[in-house]
Amino acid sequence: MHWTILLKSDPEAKGNPVLHGLRMAASAVADGVEVSVFLAQEACPLAFLDEQTGAKQLVHQDLIHELQELGAKIYVVGLEWLHQSEKSLLNSSIEVASMKTLVRQMKISDQVITL
């Protein structure tokens, strides 16, 4: 079984949809589900290393690292922001992906979750 989780909400959004998505992904991986997480739109900044990360973002970063240790793939989608950012600040364990990659992953997934 494979899930694709698309996180596009602001990590600071009311209700914590990004946090819930990352926690759901970790639980699914721990339960034997293969998971691919895509960071897009407002969630893209989570793909970057930031020395001034707040407490809430540190929780997100810890969950992302936990997911990777468990074998989940983490991707970031959206080239328009990449040209404006220092590519060297991109977390090296997060892969840059295109919309084509996202669509292909969604096609082969048993479950697609968007938050």
Side-chain angles (χ1 to χ4, degrees):
M1 176 172 284
H2 186 273
W3 289 8
T4 295
I5 299 178
L6 173 61
L7 300 176
K8 60 181 189 166
S9 297
D10 186 322
E12 298 291 327
K14 185 177 179 180
N16 300 313
V18 171
L19 178 64
H20 292 302
L22 292 171
R23 290 179 63 216
M24 182 183 350
S27 295
V29 171
D31 202 31
V33 177
E34 185 181 341
V35 175
S36 297
V37 176
F38 286 80
L39 305 171
Q41 296 175 351
E42 301 298 319
C44 285
L46 293 175
F48 289 91
L49 303 172
D50 186 359
E51 294 174 6
Q52 298 177 346
T53 301
K56 198 172 197 179
Q57 285 99 1
L58 285 175
V59 172
H60 292 133
Q61 293 297 332
D62 287 345
L63 281 167
I64 287 171
H65 293 299
E66 179 183 337
L67 280 165
Q68 291 170 321
E69 287 174 4
L70 291 170
K73 296 279 190 179
I74 312 288
Y75 301 92
V76 63
V77 180
L79 297 178
E80 63 279 353
W81 55 266
L82 188 58
H83 298 298
Q84 301 167 3
S85 304
E86 292 271 340
K87 194 166 185 175
S88 62
L89 296 178
L90 186 65
N91 183 329
S92 62
S93 57
I94 295 178
E95 298 179 44
V96 176
S98 66
M99 277 296 171
K100 188 182 285 188
T101 304
L102 174 59
V103 170
R104 286 179 182 156
Q105 199 65 46
M106 290 172 135
K107 283 175 61 176
I108 65 166
S109 292
D110 299 297
Q111 182 76 33
V112 177
I113 301 162
T114 302
L115 298 163

